[in-house]
Each structure stands twice: as structure tokens, then as C-alpha cells.
Amino acid sequence: MATLLARRAVQTCARHNRGLTLGATRQYTAERHSSLAAKVWVLTNGDPVDAFRTTSVAAGLQIPFETKHAVQAAGGSWVAETLGRPLRGLGSLLFKSSQPGALRYVQDAAATDLPRIAIAASREALPGLLEVGRMSRGQSMLVYLGVPQTRLSNIDVLVLSQLDRMRLRELGPGRANLDNAATTLLPFSGVPAKTDTQRQERGASSADDADSPCQNTLAVCIGQGIESGGFRLLTRDVDVLAEGLMRIPSRPRMRVLLPRAMNKGVRRMVESHLIRRLQALRSDTPGSGDSQHRFSAAVEVLDYSLSGQPSPVDVIASASRVVATADNLQMMALAVSLGRPVYIAGEERTTGVLRSHYHALDSRNLVRRFYPVGSKYDYMLMADIDGAADELSVIRDHDPWAKYDAQRDLDDIVSFIRMRYKQIKQ
């Protein structure tokens, strides 16, 4: 009898202690963000497009934000940070910071001054984003634009495009049904639609207004070389692109944009098969060959692996038309969001989910295939419904260009982040 009474007493004490523990946990969860500064960190790797996208989200939240540069992690450290909890303890033992309290993957950042929300959009910034969550013990909300190379449950809010959803669905039906993801049709570009008041505040300068592009200016956006959804940029694709650009009847001024992260082999291929051919056909170059292919203006090359380049947003905004290779989804989305006519080079060679995605954009009249006048597709020349032929896409009669509501994307993303913030705080 005495033994039974003793056991009951121990069980009663255990229940009481468990209740205190659960109560403390609930109180901690309710005060999850109370010890953090009311600000947002934007983690960037130096890419201007990613920086523009993440900064746009931070500004939409209407919370003070700071831009932090993500440190490129070494191979072993990157694996320890991105594979999740099983290796985090080992990583903390093997890769200790030389400065107590300083973050290893974020420059000029201390563990004593962590934000309530951290936003990233690149693979290089992902270790820093995960480190913020780990150092805050889960108190900081982590937001990632795209599909991260880590467990999806490690991120509080994912901002995915329809193509991202299609990729995840290929891995399994459950992968696409995420309660922590906001979805947009295009990869989020960071471009909100301007109101009439904002246009008046900016003035009537055509150089600064995205609705007043320079006449007959063509921006040619080259991708990194590979798109996992179903495209790889080959030499023949670059040759076809160069031939098509040289045969445009209106002879536009061209600006070729090379991305910051670009394979060296792809870069050499683009330089030799595209840029040199275009530059050799300038009107002021003697002996440039057939005179009907000569350009009336110079070809400007903007290499974003070098410093001092103009903002890609300003370049696209100042262009009257945009040609993007099929692997450059970010610049395609940026140009569509800015209301520019966008032509996709190499779309006919896309496969899998990427082909389905471009077909959906074609049917919505957001993009067209790059089949210029004078190319091998010229025999299919057809006038648009308004009676005019599109010199950059002559394959069929087109409906008028559709407008994409970029402001709605931004509003939906901001609303979703605020909703998740309240859910996690409760």
C-alpha cells in the first residue's frame, strides 16, 4: 500500500511539472518575437536582380529593413548549414566563429541583434538565412523566394512561381501542397504597378519613366546556360539568336545583358558566337560583309559579373522590346512585369514543365517566340489581328499583348507573410 501511494505521489508531481513546462512553452511561443528587433534583414549575394526582388518585399512589409551581404560559404560549411538539424550540431563544433556572437554567413551581423524577419532569394544567401533562424532559436521568420536547396519545412514562408509548383509536383503530389507557400504566375520580379500619383511625382522624364522606353531599343537577356525545368543553351541556339538579331529590319540599338552567375564555358560561347558577330556588323566597321545586315547603332554589352553596371531594372525599363533566352526566367518576368513586349529565344527546344509553362504564358499573350523577319520561319509570316506584322515574331497572328498585374503579386506576398507571422506568433 505504501509503495502504491508513493507511485501515485510521483505521478502527481510529474503531471504538475509537465503542466508547468507546457505552460512555459506556450508563453514562449506567444512571445516568440518579443526579444527581437522590429526590423527586416535582406540577405543578398550582390546580384542586382535578387537584391531588387528581396528589397521590394521588405519595403512592402512597411517595416524598417537593412541590407546584409551573405558570405560565400565553404563546401563543408555550406553542407552543414543546408542539410538541416542533423548536421547543425556538428557544424557548430567544427566551424566556430572567431568572434563570439558574430554570424558566420552574414557580414557585419551579430547574434544579439537579430531581426524578426529575414528574406533571401539566392543559393549563396541561403546559409545565412538558415543561420539567422538557428541563432534566433526559431524566433526569426525566414522568407525565401524560390525553391531552396534544403528541407522546405526549414523555411517559414516560400514564394514560389507556377513553374516551381510544377517542379515540386513532379517529385510527388504532397510536395506541391504546402501551407507555407505563396504562389505567383511568374517568378516574383519585385516590380509593383505604378499609380497615376507616382507617375506625376516622378515627372515627365522619359528616361526615368518605365512607361516611356527609348524608341527602337532592344534588350537581349542571356541566361546562365541551364534551366532545370527543361532547357540547356547550346551553341546552335546562340547561332540562331545571332542570325535572327542581325536580320531585324528596323535595326534597333541593342544592349546585351550577361548575368552575374554564368558558367565560364557558356560565357565564352556567347562572346564568340553572339557578341563578336554583332559587334562586327556595326555600320562603322569596314568590310563587315553584306550591307543589308549592318546595324545603324552600336551593340552595348552589360556584364553583371563586373562592377559599375547600370541597374538591370533601368535597362529593361528603357528598352522598347526584350529578347530573353528560354533559361532566363527572372529577366523574362521582370520585363513582363514592366509591360515590355517579351520574345523568348529557344522556346521551341524547351521540354518538360518548362515547355508547359511557356505554353501557358503564350496562351495568355504575355510572351511570344522569337521568330524574326528574315529567319527560317519567315515563310509562316502572318499579320496580327490589327493588320500589322510583328517583325520579331512572324509565326502566327497574335492577339494584343496582355498586361501583367505585378502589384497584385506583391500585395498577395505581403499579405501571406503577415498572416504567417500572426500564425507563428500565436
Side-chain angles (χ1 to χ4, degrees):
M1 180 64 70
T3 303
L4 181 60
L5 292 176
R7 288 179 180 176
R8 291 181 176 177
V10 171
Q11 292 175 356
T12 302
C13 292
R15 293 193 192 98
H16 178 71
N17 292 334
R18 191 182 304 116
L20 292 177
T21 303
L22 291 175
T25 302
R26 284 192 293 269
Q27 182 180 5
Y28 169 77
T29 303
E31 299 176 355
R32 174 174 176 176
H33 307 280
S34 60
S35 60
L36 301 178
K39 61 182 178 181
V40 178
W41 276 5
V42 174
L43 305 182
T44 176
N45 64 339
D47 186 278
V49 177
D50 288 337
F52 181 76
R53 299 167 63 212
T54 50
T55 302
S56 179
V57 175
L61 292 172
Q62 298 181 351
I63 302 176
F65 66 90
E66 302 174 1
T67 300
K68 298 289 185 179
H69 186 73
V71 179
Q72 182 70 37
S77 302
W78 185 87
V79 172
E81 280 295 329
T82 55
L83 285 185
R85 295 180 181 177
L87 292 180
R88 285 179 184 171
L90 178 61
S92 63
L93 294 175
L94 297 179
F95 309 105
K96 291 184 178 179
S97 175
S98 58
Q99 300 179 2
L103 300 188
R104 180 177 179 84
Y105 303 110
V106 183
Q107 285 186 355
D108 302 326
T112 57
D113 187 31
L114 296 175
R116 294 190 181 182
I117 301 176
I119 307 174
S122 63
R123 173 177 175 175
E124 293 83 359
L126 181 58
L129 185 70
L130 296 176
E131 186 181 26
V132 170
R134 177 171 56 85
M135 297 299 290
S136 68
R137 297 184 179 181
Q139 295 186 54
S140 296
M141 169 178 277
L142 308 183
V143 180
Y144 190 83
L145 310 185
V147 179
Q149 294 187 342
T150 184
R151 290 185 300 180
L152 301 182
S153 59
N154 289 340
I155 308 298
D156 295 308
V157 174
L158 296 169
V159 179
L160 306 178
S161 66
Q162 287 288 358
L163 180 60
D164 294 331
R165 288 277 193 178
M166 295 165 69
R167 289 170 178 163
L168 294 175
R169 194 174 294 112
E170 283 192 328
L171 303 178
R175 291 292 187 94
N177 299 326
L178 304 171
D179 59 356
N180 63 333
T183 306
T184 58
L185 175 61
L186 299 176
F188 178 65
S189 63
V191 179
K194 299 191 305 298
T195 62
D196 293 336
T197 302
Q198 290 174 319
R199 292 190 182 97
Q200 294 174 1
E201 291 176 353
R202 296 185 65 176
S205 174
S206 60
D208 295 332
D209 196 346
D211 291 328
S212 301
C214 299
Q215 294 297 324
N216 204 22
T217 301
L218 183 66
V220 182
C221 304
I222 310 298
Q224 298 181 7
I226 297 178
E227 168 52 48
S228 60
F231 182 78
R232 181 171 183 174
L233 190 65
L234 302 178
T235 303
R236 60 179 179 179
D237 300 314
V238 180
D239 290 335
V240 171
L241 174 61
E243 187 68 21
L245 293 174
M246 290 187 294
R247 291 182 178 274
I248 298 177
S250 62
R251 300 178 183 178
R253 173 176 178 261
M254 294 190 186
R255 308 181 80 180
V256 181
L257 285 71
L258 303 181
R260 177 178 176 270
M262 193 178 191
N263 182 274
K264 292 183 179 179
V266 176
R267 186 180 298 273
R268 289 194 296 267
M269 176 181 65
V270 171
E271 290 175 352
S272 60
H273 290 262
L274 176 65
I275 296 176
R276 291 177 185 174
R277 292 182 64 183
L278 295 179
Q279 292 176 338
L281 292 175
R282 290 175 53 180
S283 60
D284 58 349
T285 302
S288 58
D290 191 354
S291 60
Q292 67 176 345
H293 291 168
R294 296 180 184 177
F295 290 113
S296 60
V299 177
E300 182 181 4
V301 179
L302 303 176
D303 189 348
Y304 286 93
S305 64
L306 307 176
S307 59
Q309 303 296 340
S311 168
V313 181
D314 296 336
V315 174
I316 299 300
S318 63
S320 57
R321 293 170 295 180
V322 176
V323 174
T325 55
D327 57 331
N328 201 337
L329 294 169
Q330 293 296 343
M331 297 304 291
M332 177 273 295
L334 176 62
V336 172
S337 300
L338 285 170
R340 298 291 168 263
V342 181
Y343 303 86
I344 306 301
E347 182 183 344
E348 67 279 0
R349 282 211 321 105
T350 56
T351 60
V353 295
L354 184 61
R355 188 178 188 87
S356 301
H357 184 61
Y358 275 126
H359 178 73
L361 299 183
D362 284 335
S363 62
R364 293 171 181 259
N365 299 308
L366 294 174
V367 300
R368 296 176 182 177
R369 293 190 178 189
F370 180 62
Y371 290 158
V373 174
S375 66
K376 63 180 180 179
Y377 304 101
D378 200 9
Y379 69 94
M380 294 183 287
L381 176 62
M382 297 181 66
D384 293 348
I385 60 174
D386 59 359
D390 188 343
E391 68 174 3
L392 297 187
S393 186
V394 299
I395 186 174
R396 64 182 176 90
D397 53 334
H398 298 285
D399 292 328
W401 289 97
K403 294 187 178 298
Y404 187 74
D405 192 353
Q407 182 66 55
R408 180 177 179 180
D409 282 353
L410 179 59
D411 293 341
D412 291 345
I413 292 170
V414 170
S415 299
F416 187 81
I417 293 175
R418 290 173 176 169
M419 181 190 68
R420 288 285 295 174
Y421 183 88
K422 294 178 180 178
Q423 290 176 348
I424 296 175
K425 188 174 180 180
Q426 292 176 352

